[in-house]
């Protein structure tokens, strides 16, 4: 089954994850490690692909990422300029 995207992206939340992760001073490897502690087997390369929009994000990954970053899933799904900048 082919997974289609929007404008070549497979998710909308990649830039928001990156912005929130950077605002929390977490590296991609640190975010991946925290996800692994929650039982989600993901590595730094997968985080990079998510942030670039090259990988889909499952609902349970979205839930865990939002908890780790201390934001709601809605905040990650909101495509706007409200995500923090570096």
């Amino acid at each position: 089954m082919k997974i289609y995207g929007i404008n070549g992206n497979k998710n909308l939340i990649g830039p928001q994850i990156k912005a929130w992760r950077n605002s929390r001073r977490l590296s991609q490897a640190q975010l991946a490690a925290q996800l692994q502690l929650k039982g989600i087997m993901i590595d730094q390369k997968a985080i990079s692909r998510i942030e670039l929009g090259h990988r889909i994000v499952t609902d349970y990954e979205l839930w865990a990422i939002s908890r780790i970053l201390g934001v709601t899933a809605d905040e990650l799904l909101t495509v706007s300029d409200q995500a923090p900048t570096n």
Side-chain angles (χ1 to χ4, degrees), residues 20 78-85:
W20 285 107
T78 302
V79 180
S80 71
D81 295 330
Q82 293 185 351
T85 58

Side-chain angles (χ1 to χ4, degrees), residues 14-66:
Q16 288 84 313
I17 289 175
K18 181 176 182 177
W20 285 107
R21 178 182 59 74
N22 285 333
S23 76
R24 302 300 192 258
R25 299 183 187 266
L26 288 173
S27 68
Q28 291 176 341
Q30 289 170 321
L31 177 56
Q34 289 191 31
L35 286 164
Q36 290 171 14
L37 290 173
K38 290 187 176 294
I40 298 171
M41 294 300 107
I42 193 168
D43 61 10
Q44 176 273 324
K45 285 185 178 185
I47 299 296
S48 176
R49 291 178 50 228
I50 288 169
E51 291 180 355
L52 292 170
H54 298 165
R55 181 186 179 281
I56 64 167
V57 180
T58 63
D59 54 357
Y60 60 87
E61 290 170 338
L62 173 62
W63 176 85
I65 291 168
S66 70

